[in-house]
Amino acid sequence: QVQLVESGGGLVQPGGSLRLSCAASGRIFTINAMGWYRQAPGKLRELVATISSVGMTNYADYVKGRFTISRDNAKNTVYLQMNSLKPEDTAVYYCNVKGTVIGLGYADFASWGQGTQVTVSS
């Protein structure tokens, strides 16, 4: 019901930077939390960072000081600025959006983006 479109992934050298974006669309009444998760081959999906509707942020310990999550409420878009990238950051990054949609009535939702590949290698 809610569609998420991600962009910004790519190949960078260690120490480089990338900025990911994720835009949500659909019959959205309100968005509560937005976040980024990542999944490397053979591993479980893990939380990277989240941001609430009022801008409260939460980061995984391994990205603190390097990654910054932000959002543009008017555009229903969440961003992830990634600096000082390391090879271990290589993964598919997925955005997640939680909120309320308009259907027969109002209902909570949680949607995932299609994923964008981030590769950090020399």
Side-chain angles (χ1 to χ4, degrees):
Q1 186 66 28
V2 176
Q3 305 297 317
L4 306 182
V5 179
E6 302 180 30
S7 63
L11 173 65
V12 297
Q13 294 185 340
S17 299
L18 284 174
R19 190 190 191 207
L20 308 182
S21 64
C22 174
S25 63
R27 296 176 61 82
I28 301 171
F29 178 72
T30 186
I31 292 177
N32 295 324
M34 308 181 84
W36 290 94
Y37 297 73
R38 68 187 186 188
Q39 187 168 21
K43 296 184 178 181
L44 298 176
R45 189 171 299 184
E46 61 183 8
L47 181 146
V48 176
T50 60
I51 185 168
S52 74
S53 61
V54 295
M56 180 176 292
T57 58
N58 183 51
Y59 297 92
D61 288 341
Y62 47 83
V63 304
K64 287 182 178 178
R66 299 190 298 123
F67 292 8
T68 302
I69 188 171
S70 61
R71 63 189 289 172
D72 185 334
N73 292 333
K75 298 180 179 179
N76 286 341
T77 300
V78 61
Y79 306 92
L80 184 68
Q81 178 66 47
M82 304 184 293
N83 299 324
S84 301
L85 284 163
K86 305 174 181 179
E88 50 263 44
D89 294 320
T90 296
V92 177
Y93 284 69
Y94 299 89
C95 65
N96 177 263
V97 177
K98 296 181 174 65
T100 303
V101 295
I102 302 174
L104 296 177
Y106 297 101
D108 293 339
F109 75 89
S111 296
W112 292 95
Q114 81 281 2
T116 184
Q117 178 70 49
V118 172
T119 302
V120 185
S121 176
S122 60

